[in-house]
């Protein structure tokens, strides 16, 4: 029983599909004609529409500085450039290659002052570093001059100490010689004078030696100052090199591709419009065919019912 019921349902489905195909075949000329008509209308409208060509220009925003992480800081995006111009009351209509070129010139003029401002900022910083370098170099010359004066003074004191040592040695010999010959009162007095002189020479020699040691300490201090100043110069030169690099990288917007228009219009897209119109017309005609078929059945049923009613009425009359 169930198998028979399924067969009946499948048969009904087949009948419905055949009915759909019969309806389409019955109204095939209407469907074809309507679809072609929609395609022709779309083609006529597309051909009569205004032709639109594309105008392309490739530009790169200007670089104002190199920020943290060595990332470039640009002037602005291309879209914001045009918006900024419009905010300033400079309306630009991008409808031709000439207007695109005019836009490029206007952008160059707009951002030229901003680019120059950043260049002047870097130039000012470089001038400050140059003046600091000049002062440091003068200071280093002063330190080196002090070192030369210290070395000169050490060179003067060193032979003086040697001379005092030699003189002291001679005095000691003379004193010992005098005391060994005849230890008289006069000789003892003379030896005492020798001893005083020797003591004075030793004190003077020690004084000169202390002075030399003091000068050597000053010299070492001056040399450390020179080394520190030279390291500071190296650091400032590196900073200046980085600033100069950033300054050299500042540039206004650049045009990578001049304004050019397309050889063929980009709108209207005639082929696409015709295909879409054919597809829409096909669906519309199919809907119209089934609607007319349905309408025909309704009218037929209505007419048959009226005819039966009239026949029965006549028979009874």
């Amino acid at each position: 029983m169930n198998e028979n019921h399924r067969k009946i349902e499948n048969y009904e489905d087949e009948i419905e599909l055949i009915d759909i195909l019969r309806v389409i075949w019955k109204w095939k000329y209407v469907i074809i004609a309507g679809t072609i008509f929609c395609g022709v209308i779309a083609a006529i409208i597309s051909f009569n529409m205004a032709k639109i060509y594309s105008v392309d220009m490739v530009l790169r925003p200007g670089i104002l500085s190199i920020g943290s992480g060595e990332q470039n800081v640009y002037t602005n995006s291309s879209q914001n450039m045009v918006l900024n111009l419009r905010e300033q009351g400079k309306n630009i209509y991008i409808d031709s290659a000439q207007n695109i070129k005019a836009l490029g010139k206007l952008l160059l003029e707009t951002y030229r002052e901003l680019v120059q401002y950043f260049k002047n900022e870097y130039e000012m910083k470089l001038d400050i570093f140059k003046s600091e370098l000049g002062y440091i170099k003068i200071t280093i010359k002063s330190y080196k001059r002090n070192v030369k004066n210290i070395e000169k003074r050490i060179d003067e004191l060193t032979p003086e100490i040697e001379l005092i040592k030699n003189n002291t040695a001679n005095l000691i010999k003379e004193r010992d010689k005098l005391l060994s010959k005849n230890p008289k009162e006069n000789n003892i007095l003379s030896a005492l004078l020798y001893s005083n002189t020797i003591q004075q020479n030793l004190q003077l020699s020690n004084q000169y030696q202390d002075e030399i040691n003091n000068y050597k300490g000053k010299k070492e201090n001056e040399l450390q100052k020179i080394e520190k100043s030279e390291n500071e110069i190296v650091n400032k030169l590196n900073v200046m090199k980085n600033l100069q690099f950033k300054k050299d990288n500042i540039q206004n917007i650049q045009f990578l591709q001049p304004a050019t228009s397309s050889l063929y219009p980009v709108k209207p897209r005639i082929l696409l419009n015709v295909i879409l119109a054919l597809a829409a017309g096909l669906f519309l005609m199919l809907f119209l065919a089934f609607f007319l078929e349905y309408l025909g059945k309704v009218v037929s049923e209505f007419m048959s019912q009226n005819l039966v009613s009239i026949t029965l009425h006549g028979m009874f009359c």
Side-chain angles (χ1 to χ4, degrees), residues 46-65:
S46 298
F47 275 110
N48 290 324
M49 290 175 65
K51 303 297 186 293
I52 300 175
Y53 294 83
S54 66
V55 180
D56 297 324
M57 179 179 66
V58 180
L59 60 86
R60 181 170 62 188
I63 300 174
L64 296 180
S65 64

Side-chain angles (χ1 to χ4, degrees), residues 5-17:
H5 182 68
R6 290 177 182 175
K7 289 181 179 179
I8 294 171
E9 287 182 352
N10 293 333
Y11 179 75
E12 290 178 353
D13 292 339
E14 291 178 358
I15 294 300
E16 289 180 359
L17 179 60

Side-chain angles (χ1 to χ4, degrees), residues 13 20 44 94 130 252 304:
D13 292 339
I20 291 173
I44 294 173
I94 307 176
K130 287 177 182 178
N252 205 341
S304 62

Side-chain angles (χ1 to χ4, degrees), residues 14-159:
E14 291 178 358
I15 294 300
E16 289 180 359
L17 179 60
I18 291 174
D19 290 341
I20 291 173
L21 294 176
R22 284 176 179 176
V23 172
I24 293 175
W25 181 256
K26 178 181 178 180
W27 298 93
K28 60 182 179 296
Y29 295 111
V30 175
I31 295 173
I32 294 172
T35 303
I36 294 174
F37 177 77
C38 291
V40 171
I41 294 298
I44 294 173
I45 294 174
S46 298
F47 275 110
N48 290 324
M49 290 175 65
K51 303 297 186 293
I52 300 175
Y53 294 83
S54 66
V55 180
D56 297 324
M57 179 179 66
V58 180
L59 60 86
R60 181 170 62 188
I63 300 174
L64 296 180
S65 64
I66 299 179
S68 58
E70 300 301 321
Q71 296 295 325
N72 292 340
V73 179
Y74 294 95
T75 51
N76 214 331
S77 64
S78 303
Q79 295 81 359
N80 289 339
M81 289 179 185
V82 178
L83 291 176
N84 290 340
L85 291 176
R86 288 175 177 172
E87 288 176 359
Q88 298 173 12
K90 301 175 183 178
N91 291 326
I92 297 296
Y93 299 97
I94 307 176
D95 55 0
S96 66
Q98 289 76 12
N99 286 345
I100 290 287
K101 292 178 181 178
L103 171 63
K105 292 181 180 179
L106 187 56
L107 288 174
L108 282 173
E109 295 175 358
T110 301
Y111 287 97
R112 184 178 290 113
E113 293 183 0
L114 183 61
V115 169
Q116 190 60 44
Y117 170 79
F118 276 85
K119 282 188 175 182
N120 293 337
E121 285 290 318
Y122 282 117
E123 189 64 35
M124 186 182 302
K125 293 179 181 178
L126 287 171
D127 290 339
I128 294 173
F129 276 99
K130 287 177 182 178
S131 63
E132 291 178 353
L133 282 179
Y135 175 76
I136 294 174
K137 290 178 180 179
I138 293 174
T139 305
I140 289 176
K141 288 181 180 180
S142 176
Y143 293 152
K144 289 182 178 180
R145 193 180 303 112
N146 293 337
V147 170
K148 287 183 179 180
N149 292 333
I150 290 171
E151 290 176 346
K152 182 179 179 181
R153 182 58 180 164
I154 291 174
D155 293 339
E156 292 175 352
L157 292 175
T158 302

Side-chain angles (χ1 to χ4, degrees), residues 142-189:
S142 176
Y143 293 152
K144 289 182 178 180
R145 193 180 303 112
N146 293 337
V147 170
K148 287 183 179 180
N149 292 333
I150 290 171
E151 290 176 346
K152 182 179 179 181
R153 182 58 180 164
I154 291 174
D155 293 339
E156 292 175 352
L157 292 175
T158 302
E160 289 290 335
I161 292 174
E162 292 296 326
L163 182 61
I164 292 172
K165 286 182 178 180
N166 293 332
N167 189 18
T168 303
N170 293 328
L171 289 174
I172 292 173
K173 289 180 181 181
E174 290 292 334
R175 182 195 64 182
D176 294 342
K177 184 179 179 181
L178 183 63
L179 291 174
S180 62
K181 285 183 178 181
N182 189 7
K184 295 181 180 179
E185 185 178 352
N186 292 332
N187 291 338
I188 295 174
L189 182 61

